[in-house]
DNA sequence: GCGATATTGAAACTCATTTTCACTTAGTTC
DNA sequence: GAACTAAGTGAAAATGAGTTTCAATATCGC
């Protein structure tokens, strides 16, 4: 088991380095949470992560998962997102920026980047006197699969 | 007092009609909340609204403000938004769609529309197999005033 | 191994929002 | 306009995501 995955291993190493630098401690719980997060599919909620982590070690508490995800976010390995319902979802931080397209029926989340939009955002902010620092853009719609599947919802 | 304002009056009438249609009751509390909301500057939080409403009628409860804002949202007179911190802010629903540019220093909220961005969003969704239904776009930056005022923050 | 310091889990606590419930009202009905 | 009934109200309790507290435990540096 514990199938190896280059990205996950790299991330794990980065996390360990971060802990050392900050004089924080390495613990079995942190290792378990970080490992599962890094091997996962992305856009996980704390609840989902908690569930997965518990399967491996049922004594880990909710608070520890929250605390660890905060750490991961601080050290730049995870990005915290808040979609429509507000509960946090984490994704593995990638070097390149992207936005999200979300299916309103099945909840599928697709990532995309569109430089032309970014350029226009920059231009718009400048035009209104702002120095752009960041943005949040989410597109909501219905995916192909759901449209094929008919209108249940 | 009760300075008149065409838009607010129209909205108020629409609200009254909605209540009648839905066989809901007109009450002094609802009237007060809706009137204050419609005459206000937009992007109010429930807390701010509650404060303003209380000045006029101190016996109105928090729950009633929430309930009334929900009603206003349902009948299309108010739009509910969630910016970075997550607490809801309401704005008077305008006919034309717009997005927001928010100053990270002073919290100022500027509305804008940019059809070229909308067009690219539509195109992007289609390219990825989605039928676009809506979107959320917020730009964050620092406004001119805050940049002039130097870097306190 | 020792000891200082960080971490943990469980439970208590926030904070925004919603729900409950006994009581009051608005909009009919006669 | 009195009576009726469904809807609305305020206060307080409940919710749900997330955070903090605290006593017990584990880690790291020597």
């Amino acid at each position: 088991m514990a199938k190896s995955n280059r990205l996950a291993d790299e991330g794990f190493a980065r996390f360990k380095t971060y802990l050392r630098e900050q004089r924080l401690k390495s613990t079995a719980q942190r290792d378990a949470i970080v490992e599962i997060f890094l091997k996962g599919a992305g856009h996980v909620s704390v609840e989902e992560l908690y569930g997965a982590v518990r399967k491996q070690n049922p004594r880990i508490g909710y608070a520890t998962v929250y605390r660890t995800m905060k750490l991961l976010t601080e050290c730049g390995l995870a990005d915290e997102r808040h979609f429509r319902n507000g509960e946090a979802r984490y994704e593995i931080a990638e070097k390149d920026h992207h936005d999200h397209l979300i299916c309103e029926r099945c909840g599928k989340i697709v990532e995309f980047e569109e430089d032309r939009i970014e350029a226009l955002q920059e231009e718009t902010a400048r035009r209104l006197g702002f120095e752009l620092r960041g943005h949040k853009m989410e597109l909501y719609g219905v995916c192909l699969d759901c449209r094929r599947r008919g209108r249940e919802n």
PDB file of all heavy atoms in Angstrom, chain D residues 3 8 12 17 20 25-26:
ATOM      1  P    DA D   3     -66.567  38.866  20.031  1.00  0.00           P
ATOM      2  OP1  DA D   3     -67.434  38.052  20.921  1.00  0.00           O
ATOM      3  OP2  DA D   3     -65.301  39.470  20.534  1.00  0.00           O
ATOM      4  O5'  DA D   3     -66.240  37.997  18.735  1.00  0.00           O
ATOM      5  C5'  DA D   3     -67.317  37.494  17.921  1.00  0.00           C
ATOM      6  C4'  DA D   3     -66.737  36.464  16.977  1.00  0.00           C
ATOM      7  O4'  DA D   3     -65.987  37.132  15.934  1.00  0.00           O
ATOM      8  C3'  DA D   3     -65.743  35.506  17.648  1.00  0.00           C
ATOM      9  O3'  DA D   3     -65.952  34.222  17.058  1.00  0.00           O
ATOM     10  C2'  DA D   3     -64.376  36.094  17.306  1.00  0.00           C
ATOM     11  C1'  DA D   3     -64.643  36.665  15.914  1.00  0.00           C
ATOM     12  N9   DA D   3     -63.827  37.810  15.515  1.00  0.00           N
ATOM     13  C8   DA D   3     -63.366  38.840  16.296  1.00  0.00           C
ATOM     14  N7   DA D   3     -62.687  39.753  15.616  1.00  0.00           N
ATOM     15  C5   DA D   3     -62.713  39.271  14.302  1.00  0.00           C
ATOM     16  C6   DA D   3     -62.191  39.781  13.104  1.00  0.00           C
ATOM     17  N6   DA D   3     -61.521  40.920  13.018  1.00  0.00           N
ATOM     18  N1   DA D   3     -62.400  39.065  11.994  1.00  0.00           N
ATOM     19  C2   DA D   3     -63.085  37.921  12.067  1.00  0.00           C
ATOM     20  N3   DA D   3     -63.632  37.340  13.136  1.00  0.00           N
ATOM     21  C4   DA D   3     -63.410  38.086  14.229  1.00  0.00           C
ATOM     22  P    DG D   8     -46.454  35.609   7.243  1.00  0.00           P
ATOM     23  OP1  DG D   8     -46.131  36.699   6.309  1.00  0.00           O
ATOM     24  OP2  DG D   8     -45.721  34.341   7.231  1.00  0.00           O
ATOM     25  O5'  DG D   8     -46.420  36.223   8.705  1.00  0.00           O
ATOM     26  C5'  DG D   8     -47.057  37.485   8.926  1.00  0.00           C
ATOM     27  C4'  DG D   8     -46.512  38.091  10.193  1.00  0.00           C
ATOM     28  O4'  DG D   8     -46.925  37.281  11.305  1.00  0.00           O
ATOM     29  C3'  DG D   8     -44.985  38.165  10.245  1.00  0.00           C
ATOM     30  O3'  DG D   8     -44.656  39.433  10.788  1.00  0.00           O
ATOM     31  C2'  DG D   8     -44.598  37.017  11.163  1.00  0.00           C
ATOM     32  C1'  DG D   8     -45.798  36.925  12.084  1.00  0.00           C
ATOM     33  N9   DG D   8     -46.104  35.609  12.626  1.00  0.00           N
ATOM     34  C8   DG D   8     -46.185  34.409  11.957  1.00  0.00           C
ATOM     35  N7   DG D   8     -46.519  33.405  12.738  1.00  0.00           N
ATOM     36  C5   DG D   8     -46.671  33.988  13.999  1.00  0.00           C
ATOM     37  C6   DG D   8     -47.035  33.416  15.247  1.00  0.00           C
ATOM     38  O6   DG D   8     -47.307  32.239  15.505  1.00  0.00           O
ATOM     39  N1   DG D   8     -47.079  34.371  16.260  1.00  0.00           N
ATOM     40  C2   DG D   8     -46.810  35.698  16.091  1.00  0.00           C
ATOM     41  N2   DG D   8     -46.893  36.460  17.170  1.00  0.00           N
ATOM     42  N3   DG D   8     -46.474  36.253  14.934  1.00  0.00           N
ATOM     43  C4   DG D   8     -46.422  35.343  13.935  1.00  0.00           C
ATOM     44  P    DA D  12     -34.480  36.301  26.238  1.00  0.00           P
ATOM     45  OP1  DA D  12     -34.544  36.477  27.706  1.00  0.00           O
ATOM     46  OP2  DA D  12     -33.448  36.997  25.432  1.00  0.00           O
ATOM     47  O5'  DA D  12     -34.427  34.751  25.910  1.00  0.00           O
ATOM     48  C5'  DA D  12     -35.634  33.965  25.965  1.00  0.00           C
ATOM     49  C4'  DA D  12     -35.326  32.583  25.432  1.00  0.00           C
ATOM     50  O4'  DA D  12     -35.427  32.585  23.990  1.00  0.00           O
ATOM     51  C3'  DA D  12     -33.908  32.126  25.739  1.00  0.00           C
ATOM     52  O3'  DA D  12     -33.912  30.719  25.946  1.00  0.00           O
ATOM     53  C2'  DA D  12     -33.148  32.493  24.485  1.00  0.00           C
ATOM     54  C1'  DA D  12     -34.198  32.145  23.439  1.00  0.00           C
ATOM     55  N9   DA D  12     -34.008  32.789  22.141  1.00  0.00           N
ATOM     56  C8   DA D  12     -33.468  34.019  21.869  1.00  0.00           C
ATOM     57  N7   DA D  12     -33.432  34.309  20.586  1.00  0.00           N
ATOM     58  C5   DA D  12     -33.975  33.188  19.976  1.00  0.00           C
ATOM     59  C6   DA D  12     -34.224  32.870  18.639  1.00  0.00           C
ATOM     60  N6   DA D  12     -33.929  33.682  17.616  1.00  0.00           N
ATOM     61  N1   DA D  12     -34.785  31.671  18.371  1.00  0.00           N
ATOM     62  C2   DA D  12     -35.079  30.859  19.391  1.00  0.00           C
ATOM     63  N3   DA D  12     -34.898  31.049  20.698  1.00  0.00           N
ATOM     64  C4   DA D  12     -34.340  32.255  20.928  1.00  0.00           C
ATOM     65  P    DA D  17     -21.515  21.886   8.802  1.00  0.00           P
ATOM     66  OP1  DA D  17     -21.772  21.385   7.442  1.00  0.00           O
ATOM     67  OP2  DA D  17     -21.239  20.946   9.905  1.00  0.00           O
ATOM     68  O5'  DA D  17     -20.312  22.934   8.727  1.00  0.00           O
ATOM     69  C5'  DA D  17     -20.428  24.061   7.864  1.00  0.00           C
ATOM     70  C4'  DA D  17     -19.412  25.078   8.291  1.00  0.00           C
ATOM     71  O4'  DA D  17     -19.732  25.520   9.621  1.00  0.00           O
ATOM     72  C3'  DA D  17     -17.999  24.511   8.354  1.00  0.00           C
ATOM     73  O3'  DA D  17     -17.113  25.448   7.758  1.00  0.00           O
ATOM     74  C2'  DA D  17     -17.738  24.334   9.842  1.00  0.00           C
ATOM     75  C1'  DA D  17     -18.600  25.429  10.458  1.00  0.00           C
ATOM     76  N9   DA D  17     -19.072  25.104  11.806  1.00  0.00           N
ATOM     77  C8   DA D  17     -19.614  23.924  12.246  1.00  0.00           C
ATOM     78  N7   DA D  17     -19.938  23.935  13.518  1.00  0.00           N
ATOM     79  C5   DA D  17     -19.598  25.202  13.944  1.00  0.00           C
ATOM     80  C6   DA D  17     -19.683  25.849  15.185  1.00  0.00           C
ATOM     81  N6   DA D  17     -20.175  25.269  16.284  1.00  0.00           N
ATOM     82  N1   DA D  17     -19.245  27.132  15.267  1.00  0.00           N
ATOM     83  C2   DA D  17     -18.756  27.711  14.169  1.00  0.00           C
ATOM     84  N3   DA D  17     -18.618  27.217  12.939  1.00  0.00           N
ATOM     85  C4   DA D  17     -19.060  25.940  12.897  1.00  0.00           C
ATOM     86  P    DT D  20      -8.749  30.776  17.229  1.00  0.00           P
ATOM     87  OP1  DT D  20      -8.577  32.235  17.328  1.00  0.00           O
ATOM     88  OP2  DT D  20      -7.691  29.913  16.650  1.00  0.00           O
ATOM     89  O5'  DT D  20      -9.088  30.247  18.700  1.00  0.00           O
ATOM     90  C5'  DT D  20     -10.159  30.837  19.422  1.00  0.00           C
ATOM     91  C4'  DT D  20     -10.312  30.102  20.735  1.00  0.00           C
ATOM     92  O4'  DT D  20     -10.783  28.762  20.483  1.00  0.00           O
ATOM     93  C3'  DT D  20      -9.010  29.976  21.537  1.00  0.00           C
ATOM     94  O3'  DT D  20      -9.278  30.526  22.817  1.00  0.00           O
ATOM     95  C2'  DT D  20      -8.733  28.476  21.564  1.00  0.00           C
ATOM     96  C1'  DT D  20     -10.114  27.868  21.356  1.00  0.00           C
ATOM     97  N1   DT D  20     -10.186  26.538  20.697  1.00  0.00           N
ATOM     98  C2   DT D  20     -10.876  25.528  21.323  1.00  0.00           C
ATOM     99  O2   DT D  20     -11.392  25.654  22.411  1.00  0.00           O
ATOM    100  N3   DT D  20     -10.948  24.354  20.623  1.00  0.00           N
ATOM    101  C4   DT D  20     -10.400  24.091  19.388  1.00  0.00           C
ATOM    102  O4   DT D  20     -10.549  22.991  18.871  1.00  0.00           O
ATOM    103  C5   DT D  20      -9.676  25.186  18.787  1.00  0.00           C
ATOM    104  C7   DT D  20      -9.043  24.991  17.449  1.00  0.00           C
ATOM    105  C6   DT D  20      -9.602  26.347  19.455  1.00  0.00           C
ATOM    106  P    DT D  25      -2.170  11.094  29.813  1.00  0.00           P
ATOM    107  OP1  DT D  25      -2.787   9.791  29.457  1.00  0.00           O
ATOM    108  OP2  DT D  25      -1.342  11.253  31.019  1.00  0.00           O
ATOM    109  O5'  DT D  25      -1.327  11.545  28.549  1.00  0.00           O
ATOM    110  C5'  DT D  25      -1.966  11.519  27.270  1.00  0.00           C
ATOM    111  C4'  DT D  25      -0.976  11.939  26.220  1.00  0.00           C
ATOM    112  O4'  DT D  25      -0.580  13.298  26.417  1.00  0.00           O
ATOM    113  C3'  DT D  25       0.307  11.116  26.181  1.00  0.00           C
ATOM    114  O3'  DT D  25       0.369  10.563  24.874  1.00  0.00           O
ATOM    115  C2'  DT D  25       1.414  12.124  26.442  1.00  0.00           C
ATOM    116  C1'  DT D  25       0.762  13.433  26.026  1.00  0.00           C
ATOM    117  N1   DT D  25       1.259  14.689  26.649  1.00  0.00           N
ATOM    118  C2   DT D  25       1.722  15.674  25.815  1.00  0.00           C
ATOM    119  O2   DT D  25       1.764  15.572  24.603  1.00  0.00           O
ATOM    120  N3   DT D  25       2.138  16.822  26.462  1.00  0.00           N
ATOM    121  C4   DT D  25       2.133  17.058  27.815  1.00  0.00           C
ATOM    122  O4   DT D  25       2.521  18.126  28.258  1.00  0.00           O
ATOM    123  C5   DT D  25       1.636  15.975  28.634  1.00  0.00           C
ATOM    124  C7   DT D  25       1.592  16.132  30.118  1.00  0.00           C
ATOM    125  C6   DT D  25       1.225  14.847  28.019  1.00  0.00           C
ATOM    126  P    DA D  26       1.547   9.640  24.401  1.00  0.00           P
ATOM    127  OP1  DA D  26       0.967   8.622  23.509  1.00  0.00           O
ATOM    128  OP2  DA D  26       2.367   9.269  25.579  1.00  0.00           O
ATOM    129  O5'  DA D  26       2.407  10.625  23.487  1.00  0.00           O
ATOM    130  C5'  DA D  26       1.759  11.230  22.372  1.00  0.00           C
ATOM    131  C4'  DA D  26       2.752  12.127  21.707  1.00  0.00           C
ATOM    132  O4'  DA D  26       3.050  13.238  22.573  1.00  0.00           O
ATOM    133  C3'  DA D  26       4.085  11.458  21.397  1.00  0.00           C
ATOM    134  O3'  DA D  26       4.386  11.809  20.060  1.00  0.00           O
ATOM    135  C2'  DA D  26       5.066  12.059  22.390  1.00  0.00           C
ATOM    136  C1'  DA D  26       4.447  13.427  22.668  1.00  0.00           C
ATOM    137  N9   DA D  26       4.676  13.955  24.008  1.00  0.00           N
ATOM    138  C8   DA D  26       4.437  13.327  25.201  1.00  0.00           C
ATOM    139  N7   DA D  26       4.696  14.083  26.253  1.00  0.00           N
ATOM    140  C5   DA D  26       5.124  15.283  25.706  1.00  0.00           C
ATOM    141  C6   DA D  26       5.546  16.489  26.289  1.00  0.00           C
ATOM    142  N6   DA D  26       5.595  16.686  27.614  1.00  0.00           N
ATOM    143  N1   DA D  26       5.919  17.487  25.470  1.00  0.00           N
ATOM    144  C2   DA D  26       5.858  17.282  24.139  1.00  0.00           C
ATOM    145  N3   DA D  26       5.472  16.194  23.475  1.00  0.00           N
ATOM    146  C4   DA D  26       5.115  15.224  24.328  1.00  0.00           C
TER     147       DA D  26
END
